Amino acid sequence: MNKNIILLLLLSIFLSACSSNSSTKTSPTPSDISSSPLESTAVSETSTTAPSETNIPSPEVMTKQEIFDFDLIRSDWTKEQMAELGLKKEVNDLGGETYFSNDVVKYIYFDARSIETTPAVVDVFGDHPGPRGIRVGDTFEEVMALFPQNENWKSNANGVFYGQYDPDAEQDTWGPSGYVTQDNGNREISILTDVYPFVRLFFKDDVLTHYTFFLIAAH
């Protein structure tokens, strides 16, 4: 009888100890769990690197060919051809000029110069894309971004942002150039291709209002 009681007590003590040990064990916390190598590889393979801005090519200088390729330039058209096109004709006897125009463009002939039988000036003031996609309504900064920016025009004495333009030097030394002028808060961008032809872009409140090609003596 005493032996049985002793065995029961030992068994009770043993079961009590097992129950205590199991109650002290805890589940793993999130910090104990790390992502698998497979998951890490998947993330790295799908990540991309943003392209470097240095890979974007800089704009080129404007050439004569760009101007002559413009579809509205009509640099070799005679007055008779303009009339056949149906453009409105005006004669300025005092200034010795003849104009042909519509809602988009005006062609000016210098009648006083007998050697000029083609447009001397072409003025675009309507909504029509010009060279490099320039069009009325563009901002000053948008247009400037289409040309090289080799210098800061604000700090240059002649407003030059590329090329060798210098009003005090011989015209033949200018070469392809771009410069900015300001008057009463309005700005103009002049783009030279040698000397002629050249284009001047007119801005009011930094918005392009019209752009003019000067073709005289350009051929």
Side-chain angles (χ1 to χ4, degrees):
M1 179 73 178
N2 291 336
K3 290 182 178 180
N4 290 335
I5 293 173
I6 292 171
L7 287 172
L8 289 173
L9 287 174
L10 291 173
L11 181 61
S12 176
I13 293 171
F14 176 77
L15 292 174
S16 177
C18 290
S19 175
S20 176
N21 289 337
S22 64
S23 64
T24 58
K25 293 182 179 180
T26 61
S27 301
T29 63
S31 61
D32 295 328
I33 303 175
S34 60
S35 59
S36 68
L38 180 61
E39 292 173 335
S40 300
T41 302
V43 171
S44 63
E45 287 178 350
T46 57
S47 62
T48 58
T49 303
S52 172
E53 292 185 359
T54 58
N55 294 331
I56 301 174
S58 300
E60 300 291 336
V61 302
M62 180 167 280
T63 65
K64 290 181 179 180
Q65 194 60 49
E66 276 189 88
I67 291 179
F68 289 129
D69 285 345
F70 177 41
D71 62 339
L72 291 185
I73 207 70
R74 298 180 174 125
S75 60
D76 59 351
W77 278 40
T78 64
K79 295 178 184 179
E80 290 73 23
Q81 288 175 292
M82 294 293 182
E84 291 173 0
L85 190 62
L87 299 178
K88 178 183 176 182
K89 179 181 178 180
E90 299 176 82
V91 178
N92 178 3
D93 291 325
L94 185 61
E97 298 173 344
T98 299
Y99 312 133
F100 291 89
S101 64
N102 59 17
D103 293 336
V104 174
V105 61
K106 175 184 282 189
Y107 300 91
I108 302 175
Y109 289 78
F110 288 172
D111 299 332
R113 292 172 58 97
S114 59
I115 62 172
E116 296 294 337
T117 60
T118 55
V121 177
V122 180
D123 187 30
V124 181
F125 48 84
D127 186 17
H128 187 91
R132 305 195 179 192
I134 294 169
R135 66 195 313 157
V136 171
D138 287 349
T139 66
F140 177 82
E141 294 300 330
E142 287 173 335
V143 175
M144 286 288 282
L146 300 175
F147 300 97
Q149 301 295 314
N150 298 338
E151 296 189 55
N152 185 341
W153 68 269
K154 294 180 181 179
S155 58
N156 184 280
N158 297 312
V160 173
F161 51 91
Y162 80 86
Q164 303 295 325
Y165 170 73
D166 182 352
D168 297 324
E170 294 291 334
Q171 289 186 356
D172 292 342
T173 66
W174 293 351
S177 308
Y179 64 94
V180 177
T181 53
Q182 299 188 92
D183 182 27
N184 295 325
N186 296 324
R187 293 174 177 169
E188 298 176 8
I189 298 175
S190 296
I191 304 295
L192 311 181
T193 62
D194 296 328
V195 179
Y196 292 100
F198 72 91
V199 58
R200 185 162 287 159
L201 305 108
F202 300 85
F203 297 82
K204 183 175 183 180
D205 299 326
D206 279 348
V207 176
L208 183 62
T209 59
H210 63 113
Y211 51 99
T212 303
F213 299 91
F214 297 86
L215 307 178
I216 185 172
H219 296 285

